[in-house]
Amino acid sequence: MESRVISMQQKNQRLALKLALAALLMFGFGYALSPFYAAFCQFLGIDRANASLTSAGAALRVEFDVNVAPEIPVTMQALDGVQVAHAGGQVRARFLLRNESDQTVYLRALPSFAPVRAAGLLQKLECFCFNAMSLAGNEQREVTVVLMVANQLPPEMGAATLSYSLQKIDPGQLRAM
Amino acid sequence: MMTSLAHPHTHSEHSAEHHAGWARWLYATNHKDIGTLYLWFAFAMFITGGVMALCIRAELFHPGMQYWQPEFFNQLTTLHGIIMVFGAIMPAFTGLANWMLPLMLGAPDMAFARMNNWSFWLLPPAAALLLISLFVPGGAPAGGWTLYPPLSAQAGMGMDLAIFSIHLLGLSSIMGSINIITTILNMRAPGMTMLKMPLFAWTSLVTAYLLIAVAPVLAGAVTMLLTDRHFGTHFFNAAGGGDPVLFQHIFWFFGHPEVYIMALPAFGIVSQIIPTFARKPLFGYVSMVYATCSIAILSFMVWGHHMFAVGMPATAQLFFMFLTMLIAVPTGVKVFNWIATMWQGSMTFETPMLFAIGFVCLFTVGGFSGLVLSIAPIDTQMQDTYYVVAHFHYVLVAGALFSLFAAVYYWLPKWTGFMYHEGRGKLHFWWSIVWFNVTFFPMHFLGLAGMPRRIPDYALQFTDFNAVASVGAFCFGLGQLLFFYNVIHTIRGGVGPAPDKPWEGGNTLEWEVASPAPHHTWESPPDIELVRRGLIAQAVEHEEEGDAR
Ligand code: HEM
Ligand SMILES: [Cu+2]
């Protein structure tokens, strides 16, 4: 091969062009991360924004959460922490309550939805929170909530959380309710 | 021979380049003029971002809400971060590269003079967009410099301005990088092989490659954000099947290399300065080059350490954790080499050397707190506390900023032709290092005690350390006026004319040209002997002992 004489300027321009191309490719690479990420998460089974749950408008992820006020000797556990709600269907979740002390305790559970407008889509048919209750010393009891799911679920709401806070009341309030 | 080479001919009437007044700067194509523009722009942004930092610290002096609405406070932290990173530190390094690379490599100018002009002039409009965003409805972006959605997806039009600003800044960085790489690869003086370049050229080269690789990724991320906001795409919108966590992955794929973009040039600067004032060649030159490259490569694989708290699988956490710790190895090599260079050297402690040593000490502190944060279980505790703020300011202020101060004092005689006032330089150093530590060291304790970052008000137990940090910040800020005064004083004549070689131990090619460096230098490349002699003394003595005299 005969050596071709190229000027410094040409040499520079060629290198610059290559570098500009590299920059352009990296711009594309940024976009390629999006499908790659989705495939990767699906492969690993960790896709939290699963389209089948959200985009159809037909299903909603419902999470159940519990909090117990610090002064009560009671534990509460959500037995069905996560449920899938289908439009027009029902969701049922169980909780396990257990009195760790020898004394009777009087309790009330306060429900709250996040986001708040989920309350309109998930109507409580039956709930242990409708009534105050008492737990005898060392008693263990399973309670349930049944939710009716609205016929139309808005597509943008992927998940809703129903959270219960357990509070102590005094026996007088129990009778009054 | 040595000094006369600098101005082989006096280019008095070079038509295109002799615009008068403002036109000289607007149409600047000379690497020195452009370097100067970059440096002044960076300084202006440093002051702007600094004033914002002081507004933040004023609010945090006392618990309770004093001066700003919480929304505005968030805008202040966000703009402070963006402006310091993209407006101050990065342009300052590009400015230095512009000024010094052709001089150090023996090239007449940067490879693409006209593009160089464009790279610079994209910056002021970008800065203007950011500042204008303060005055639009909804205000400036307030979701942190990381711009995480969904917050950034919901923000007002200030966010759009910031996105466009980032586009311009990215474009500027990419063009600047193309220029730097081409200059370094193609325009070195004959006899200067890659492994004989000054280390500042090496770190500039690697940094420029990093920028070409990641600036477009950031541009992609904010473009996706933009289309999510306005054009109905769902990259980061969970309701449409997207995932906000994806933004974090893309952002930090850019963001982690970005922190090395702000650190590597600093490594280059101190690798020039320490040998000069220790009057010894840089210890382990070749290992420095390898360390630089391995840091750059590893930096692409550790982004997940910014996301330990998003809920990633344990194996991924371990992967990111161990790779992050691995970066400590090449970094440790560098610190070791700097110390070994000083070991038994005949050191003197002029201002550039003081800043360089301050850099080595404090950057190491920042490196250690980074190592602490790299431990996933600790990070889940420390995430978004002031410990993180302390960590990255030790790296960015004591790292990037101090190295820049060192560089300015080191090369100021070459730029202006005058010597700065050594006493005032030293005062600036001691003032800065004391108040820097007063400002940021207590933040470690605040973070360990659980104070969250990005809050305008805090619980009472954090009061004392916050008050100390705020006092420190105001004193630190005040000290920078002294820096400004020092520079202006030097430009106006300083303590007298500077010799061509103001530093006894400086051997690289920039010291072979006159002080101040004339408008045109190295129009014909330096003599091969000159290249050799300088480089041997600077770095590669051990390799060249055979043919050195
Ligand atoms: C020199 C004096 C400086 C002071 C007093 C200062 C102070 C602060 C303060 C108080 C914050 C807010 C922390 C929070 O509430 O989250 C902050 C954030 C930040 N600073 Fe600085 N800073 C200084 C210099 C710098 C420099 C030189 C950089 C260089 C890149 C920098 C980069 C950042 C970044 C990236 C953030 C995070 C912004 C965010 O949370 O989005 N700072 N700084
Ligand atoms: Cu990182």
Side-chain angles (χ1 to χ4, degrees), chain A residues 8-9 11-17 19-35 37-38 41 44 46-51 54-55 155-158, chain B residues 111-112 115 167 174 177-179 181-183 185-187 209 212-214 216-217 219-221 223-224 227 235 238-243 245-246 249-250 253 300 310-311 313:
Chain A
M8 171 69 84
Q9 205 180 0
K11 214 172 127 196
N12 285 351
Q13 277 167 0
R14 271 180 213 177
L15 181 56
L17 221 61
L19 292 171
L21 197 72
L24 215 64
L25 282 176
M26 287 311 291
F27 186 74
F29 173 77
Y31 274 84
L33 283 175
S34 176
Y37 171 74
C41 291
L44 290 178
I46 51 174
D47 50 334
R48 293 182 303 165
N50 189 327
T54 53
S55 63
E156 85 283 358
M157 188 157 43
Chain B
F112 306 103
M115 183 167 81
H167 281 142
I174 291 169
S177 301
I178 290 178
N179 229 330
I181 295 175
T182 312
T183 308
L185 291 188
N186 288 356
M187 299 180 65
Y209 271 117
I212 288 198
V214 300
V217 175
T223 310
M224 290 182 225
T227 56
F235 290 104
D243 189 342
V245 175
L246 170 63
H249 284 291
I250 304 179
F253 183 86
F300 285 105
V310 301

Side-chain angles (χ1 to χ4, degrees), chain B residues 18-29:
Chain B
H18 279 252
H19 296 285
W22 58 269
R24 166 176 175 195
W25 302 106
L26 187 62
Y27 299 118
T29 50

Side-chain angles (χ1 to χ4, degrees), chain B residues 5 46 65 109 140 151 192 242 392 418 457 459 470 485 492 506 516:
Chain B
L5 259 177
F46 170 61
M65 307 292 296
D109 203 318
L151 214 50
M192 186 181 288
F392 67 69
F418 299 110
D457 185 11
S470 289
Y485 177 78
R492 298 227 172 123

Side-chain angles (χ1 to χ4, degrees), chain B residues 9 13 32 76 101 112 156 170 176 179 181 215 235 257 299 318 326 378 380 410 420 439 474 476 480 484-485 492 537:
Chain B
H9 26 222
E13 257 58 61
K32 301 183 184 77
L76 282 176
L101 282 180
F112 306 103
N179 229 330
I181 295 175
F235 290 104
S299 74
L318 287 174
L326 207 59
I378 295 185
T380 38
Y410 185 54
Y420 63 86
T439 309
F474 274 87
F476 183 91
Q480 305 324 308
F484 183 63
Y485 177 78
R492 298 227 172 123

Side-chain angles (χ1 to χ4, degrees), chain B residues 8-309:
Chain B
H9 26 222
T10 35
H11 259 263
S12 44
E13 257 58 61
H14 216 276
S15 55
E17 295 185 350
H18 279 252
H19 296 285
W22 58 269
R24 166 176 175 195
W25 302 106
L26 187 62
Y27 299 118
T29 50
N30 179 281
H31 73 99
K32 301 183 184 77
D33 285 353
I34 292 177
T36 304
L37 284 173
Y38 264 108
L39 288 169
W40 278 116
F41 173 83
F43 186 74
M45 286 290 105
F46 170 61
I47 297 300
T48 313
V51 168
M52 290 174 176
L54 296 187
C55 292
I56 298 171
R57 284 313 326 173
E59 179 63 59
L60 295 177
F61 181 64
H62 276 315
M65 307 292 296
Q66 272 85 210
Y67 304 110
W68 321 117
Q69 295 296 313
E71 295 81 12
F72 185 64
F73 182 91
N74 289 342
Q75 296 171 23
L76 282 176
T77 53
T78 305
L79 280 190
H80 161 75
I82 296 179
I83 286 177
M84 283 298 191
V85 171
F86 296 104
I89 302 290
M90 289 171 65
F93 282 137
T94 318
L96 277 184
N98 262 301
W99 237 108
M100 299 317 298
L101 282 180
L103 286 181
M104 296 172 103
L105 299 172
D109 203 318
M110 296 296 278
F112 306 103
R114 220 160 283 279
M115 183 167 81
N116 214 0
N117 176 286
W118 270 100
S119 316
F120 174 76
W121 282 110
L122 287 179
L123 292 178
L129 284 179
L130 276 181
L131 294 177
I132 289 170
S133 74
L134 279 168
F135 304 102
V136 300
W145 85 283
T146 50
L147 308 174
Y148 284 171
L151 214 50
S152 57
Q154 297 159 349
M157 66 183 287
M159 191 66 215
D160 299 317
L161 295 178
I163 290 174
F164 291 135
S165 169
I166 288 173
H167 281 142
L168 291 182
L169 292 164
L171 204 59
S172 163
S173 303
I174 291 169
M175 298 196 321
S177 301
I178 290 178
N179 229 330
I180 287 172
I181 295 175
T182 312
T183 308
I184 294 175
L185 291 188
N186 288 356
M187 299 180 65
R188 298 188 309 275
M192 186 181 288
T193 60
M194 291 293 281
L195 277 181
K196 286 180 190 162
M197 301 195 297
L199 213 77
F200 179 66
W202 258 110
T203 57
S204 298
L205 179 71
V206 175
T207 305
Y209 271 117
L210 278 182
L211 265 170
I212 288 198
V214 300
V217 175
L218 176 67
V222 294
T223 310
M224 290 182 225
L225 201 54
L226 188 74
T227 56
D228 268 13
R229 285 165 57 82
H230 297 294
F231 303 109
T233 56
H234 301 284
F235 290 104
F236 310 127
N237 180 357
D243 189 342
V245 175
L246 170 63
F247 181 90
Q248 299 194 20
H249 284 291
I250 304 179
F251 181 88
W252 287 112
F253 183 86
F254 148 82
H256 191 77
E258 169 69 21
V259 307
Y260 290 99
I261 287 166
M262 291 186 278
L264 290 180
F267 295 171
I269 291 166
V270 298
S271 301
Q272 299 302 128
I273 291 176
I274 289 179
T276 299
F277 294 94
R279 293 165 180 78
K280 269 177 69 192
L282 183 66
F283 184 91
Y285 171 89
V286 179
S287 66
M288 284 301 226
V289 171
Y290 283 125
T292 306
C293 298
S294 30
I295 289 176
I297 292 166
L298 282 174
S299 74
F300 285 105
M301 294 187 268
V302 299
W303 78 89
H305 63 211
H306 296 271
M307 303 170 58
F308 282 141

